[in-house]
């Protein structure tokens, strides 16, 4: 937060030139606030910053990221209609520049909102799309592991234990590649699948 604020002292001097940098550093601070569970502060900070640069030329992918953040905030606040609207804006912007990492987040958050309202195959499609986008964007990444874990839970809950088992075997390998250790949550989920398989 401190060093992003130092950067902002420079970039806010001329928003006609530095609008994207100005918004990016506010987004960085908002993420830091979110990680401290200071959601309201994060949303207020980023809303004000966004209002200050709306008339300036800003990178499309960055605008999409900001819309994803707004969507995520409203998911956390249980305001699903607003969250869906922001995610739709993010998807439209990210599609324009083929920002596959952002599109992966959009699909994942859409799944989190709609998972209990849609038929199983339809809700699964959101996770599969998210997985595909993240695979295009990254070799290995926490977001990809999160999507695969959600898929594993979904398959387990639907009685598709073999598919869940195969997915958790993959998750274990990727988690060790990324972090150097196994994750207890994934292991617990995998243990439940093994139990169901006998």
């Amino acid at each position: 937060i401190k060093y992003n604020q130092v950067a902002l002292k420079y970039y806010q001097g001329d928003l006609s030139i530095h609008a994207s940098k100005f918004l990016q550093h506010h987004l960085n601070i908002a993420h830091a606030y979110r990680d401290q569970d200071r959601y309201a502060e994060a949303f207020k900070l980023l809303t004000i910053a966004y209002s200050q640069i709306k008339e300036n030329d800003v990178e499309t992918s960055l605008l999409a990221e900001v819309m994803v953040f707004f969507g995520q905030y409203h998911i956390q606040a249980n305001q699903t209609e607003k969250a869906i609207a922001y995610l739709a804006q993010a998807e439209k912007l990210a599609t324009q520049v083929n920002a596959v990492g952002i599109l992966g987040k959009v699909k994942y958050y859409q799944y989190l909102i709609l998972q209990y309202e849609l038929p199983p195959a339809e809700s699964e499609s959101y996770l599969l799309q998210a997985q595909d986008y993240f695979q295009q964007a990254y070799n290995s990444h926490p977001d990809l592991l999160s999507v695969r874990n959600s898929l594993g839970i979904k398959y387990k809950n639907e009685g598709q234990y073999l598919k869940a088992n195969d997915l958790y075997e993959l998750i274990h390998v990727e988690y060790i590649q990324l972090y150097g250790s196994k994750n207890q949550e994934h292991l617990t989920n995998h243990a439940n699948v093994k139990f169901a398989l006998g």
Side-chain angles (χ1 to χ4, degrees), residues 145 148-149 167-176 186:
L145 288 174
R148 286 189 169 144
N149 187 51
L167 201 52
Y168 280 117
E169 296 289 354
L170 176 62
I171 288 171
H172 294 327
V173 172
E174 292 189 342
Y175 203 97
I176 290 170
H186 297 154

Side-chain angles (χ1 to χ4, degrees), residues 7 71 104 108 123 137 143 175 194:
Y108 186 50
S123 66
D143 289 342
Y175 203 97
K194 291 288 191 186

Side-chain angles (χ1 to χ4, degrees), residues 2-179:
K2 174 183 173 182
Y3 288 111
N4 278 284
Q5 288 171 338
V6 171
L8 281 171
K9 288 180 182 177
Y10 173 77
Y11 290 124
Q12 65 193 8
D14 190 347
L15 293 184
S16 64
I17 298 174
H18 301 302
S20 289
K21 293 286 188 184
F22 177 82
L23 188 59
Q24 180 65 65
H25 285 285
H26 276 94
L27 181 59
N28 294 346
I29 295 171
H31 281 141
Y33 283 162
R34 181 200 62 195
D35 293 343
Q36 298 173 351
D37 293 328
R38 297 161 65 183
Y39 288 96
E41 287 176 79
F43 180 68
K44 182 178 179 181
L45 175 94
L46 198 54
T47 300
I48 293 170
Y50 177 67
S51 70
Q52 289 177 275
I53 55 83
K54 277 202 299 189
E55 306 305 320
N56 298 96
D57 187 24
V58 179
E59 294 170 15
T60 304
S61 60
L62 178 57
L63 289 175
E65 281 192 75
V66 170
M67 293 304 117
V68 167
F69 189 93
F70 288 157
Q72 187 185 20
Y73 167 80
H74 284 96
I75 291 172
Q76 190 272 336
N78 292 315
Q79 298 173 337
T80 54
E81 288 186 13
K82 287 184 177 180
I84 288 170
Y86 278 119
L87 291 172
Q89 290 182 57
E91 185 171 15
K92 183 178 179 180
L93 290 163
T95 300
Q96 291 174 17
V97 292
N98 195 34
V100 288
I102 297 170
L103 288 167
K105 290 180 182 179
V106 168
K107 290 300 169 188
Y108 186 50
Y109 291 139
Q110 287 173 334
Y111 166 77
L112 293 179
I113 295 170
L114 300 170
Q115 59 182 309
Y116 301 115
E117 299 176 21
L118 298 174
E122 195 172 338
S123 66
E124 180 186 8
S125 73
Y126 282 92
L127 285 176
L128 293 177
Q129 288 177 75
Q131 178 178 238
D132 182 54
Y133 283 132
F134 285 141
Q135 284 176 312
Q136 292 176 54
Y138 317 113
N139 289 326
S140 185
H141 194 277
D143 289 342
L144 180 57
L145 288 174
S146 293
V147 167
R148 286 189 169 144
N149 187 51
S150 292
L151 264 173
I153 292 170
K154 180 176 175 58
Y155 291 150
K156 177 181 73 75
N157 291 342
E158 294 172 0
Q160 300 185 64
Y161 301 120
L162 291 174
K163 287 177 77 172
N165 185 64
D166 290 345
L167 201 52
Y168 280 117
E169 296 289 354
L170 176 62
I171 288 171
H172 294 327
V173 172
E174 292 189 342
Y175 203 97
I176 290 170
Q177 288 173 347
L178 193 61
Y179 295 111

